[in-house]
């Protein structure tokens, strides 16, 4: 897991330096789950010289809870990433606390703030979105078989019946994810192996006719990187350390 974290951290740092050099800022989104705990320590070690005052942080999905709640993605990212890296609080775009009781309103407000940041006449395109993947293949709060997968116009949508608690959430949609510059998945643990194989090596799996592509495999972002540990890669036959995945804009690091 440490090797996976270190490799993911290198990519994050590369993208951050590249963005700051080109545009004077680095726009990045974090998911929750285990991701902040995995990438936080190596980022903290490398924090010196990262110009984290030029980082602007968003959340690819969020639970509709208070910011200090144990289920808050913001709270986890703050603890493991934002505080150690000293990212200014004014550069962090958390869910509006006045809207958490109304997920649809919270999603609408977050979309509004996102558009205002990038300019209402410009398509929001973050430099990097950092994602995890659940054992069922979900990412953000985009779950298999749920209508949010088919959203075509909203950049941020809501869900009130998440199969994982808490049930009320807001999430990035594919229209937003696909116009971002790069996505990096960080996946560790054997529980991810079956879904990961279906996504990265579909020819090695027996998928039923008409079976939907898992949510994590539906992205069409220009650059997609996968950082996975040996347990997560258990069902994949990697012949080299870095192998081009069966998707021209995607690669996997083991």
């Amino acid at each position: 897991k440490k090797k996976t974290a270190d490799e993911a951290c290198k990519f994050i740092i590369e993208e951050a330096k590249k963005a700051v050099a080109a545009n004077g800022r680095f726009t990045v989104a974090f998911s929750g789950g285990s991701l902040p705990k995995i990438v936080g320590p190596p980022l903290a070690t490398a924090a010196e010289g990262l110009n984290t005052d030029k980082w602007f942080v968003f959340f690819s999905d969020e639970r509709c809870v208070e910011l200090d709640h144990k289920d808050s993605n913001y709270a986890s990212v703050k603890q493991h990433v934002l505080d150690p890296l000293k990212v200014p609080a004014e550069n962090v775009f958390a869910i509006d606390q006045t809207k958490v009781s109304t997920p649809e309103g919270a999603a609408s407000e977050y979309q509004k703030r996102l558009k205002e940041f990038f300019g209402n006449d410009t398509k929001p395109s973050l430099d990097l979105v950092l994602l995890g993947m659940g054992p069922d293949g979900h990412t953000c709060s985009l779950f298999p078989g749920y209508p949010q997968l088919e959203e075509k116009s909203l950049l941020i949508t809501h869900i009130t019946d998440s199969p994982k608690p808490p049930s009320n959430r807001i999430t990035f949609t594919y229209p937003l994810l696909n116009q971002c510059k790069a996505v990096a998945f960080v996946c560790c643990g054997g529980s991810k192996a079956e879904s990961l194989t279906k996504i990265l090596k579909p020819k090695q799996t027996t998928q039923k006719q008409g079976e939907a592509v898992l949510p994590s495999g539906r992205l069409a972002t220009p650059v997609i990187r996968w950082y996975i540990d040996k347990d997560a890669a258990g069902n994949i036959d990697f012949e080299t350390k870095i192998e081009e995945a069966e998707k021209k804009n995607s690669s996997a690091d083991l």
Side-chain angles (χ1 to χ4, degrees):
K1 184 180 287 189
K2 184 181 184 303
K3 184 178 179 182
T4 303
D6 289 343
E7 291 299 317
C9 179
K10 286 179 185 177
F11 182 64
I12 296 168
I13 291 172
E14 287 172 5
E15 294 301 296
K17 289 183 175 179
K18 184 168 64 177
V20 170
N23 304 308
R25 71 184 188 191
F26 175 50
T27 55
V28 58
F30 285 85
S31 63
S34 60
L35 183 136
K37 300 173 188 176
I38 294 172
V39 302
L43 281 176
T45 300
E48 188 174 350
L50 273 186
N51 294 316
T52 54
D53 60 317
K54 294 180 173 61
W55 286 34
F56 292 84
V57 177
F58 297 83
F59 297 85
S60 61
D61 71 319
E62 183 57 279
R63 293 82 180 268
C64 292
V65 296
E66 300 296 323
L67 293 182
D68 58 356
H69 192 280
K70 64 180 179 63
D71 291 326
S72 166
N73 287 343
Y74 165 84
S76 179
V77 174
K78 182 177 188 296
Q79 177 185 350
H80 297 287
V81 180
L82 303 179
D83 287 351
L85 268 62
K86 297 181 172 58
V87 176
E90 61 269 22
N91 290 9
V92 180
F93 291 76
I95 191 171
D96 186 335
Q97 288 294 276
T98 68
K99 306 286 186 182
V100 292
S101 62
T102 55
E104 185 173 8
S108 177
E109 177 66 19
Y110 204 83
Q111 177 172 284
K112 177 184 174 184
R113 292 167 63 205
L114 180 74
K115 286 184 173 181
E116 288 175 347
F117 176 82
F118 282 95
N120 285 314
D121 297 328
T122 304
K123 282 187 176 181
S125 179
L126 283 85
D127 295 307
L128 178 62
V129 182
L130 297 166
L131 299 175
M133 183 189 74
D136 61 354
H138 87 269
T139 193
C140 302
S141 284
L142 299 169
F143 295 96
Y146 274 65
Q148 288 79 10
L149 300 180
E150 308 307 324
E151 176 59 52
K152 304 298 184 188
S153 56
L154 295 175
L155 302 179
I156 309 291
T157 192
H158 70 289
I159 181 171
T160 57
D161 57 350
S162 166
K164 286 184 61 179
S167 57
N168 292 343
R169 301 164 175 237
I170 65 173
T171 182
F172 281 18
T173 62
Y174 291 116
L176 176 56
L177 290 166
N178 290 341
Q179 65 195 30
C180 294
K181 296 180 178 68
V183 162
F185 283 92
V186 181
C187 298
C188 296
S191 65
K192 317 293 177 70
E194 183 177 350
S195 289
L196 197 58
T197 303
K198 287 182 178 180
I199 292 167
L200 293 181
K201 284 290 188 180
K203 292 180 181 177
Q204 288 183 202
T205 64
T206 304
Q207 285 190 275
K208 300 175 184 177
Q209 186 173 4
E211 185 177 355
V213 176
L214 293 174
S216 294
R218 293 178 55 155
L219 276 72
T221 315
V223 174
I224 301 174
R225 301 294 298 265
W226 289 84
Y227 294 91
I228 58 182
D229 70 356
K230 290 184 178 180
D231 290 335
N235 295 344
I236 302 174
D237 180 22
F238 281 98
E239 296 180 356
T240 57
K241 180 186 175 188
I242 300 177
E243 179 178 294
E244 191 68 22
E246 294 180 346
K247 194 172 181 183
K248 65 181 179 180
N249 61 340
S250 180
S251 63
D253 285 8
L254 177 64

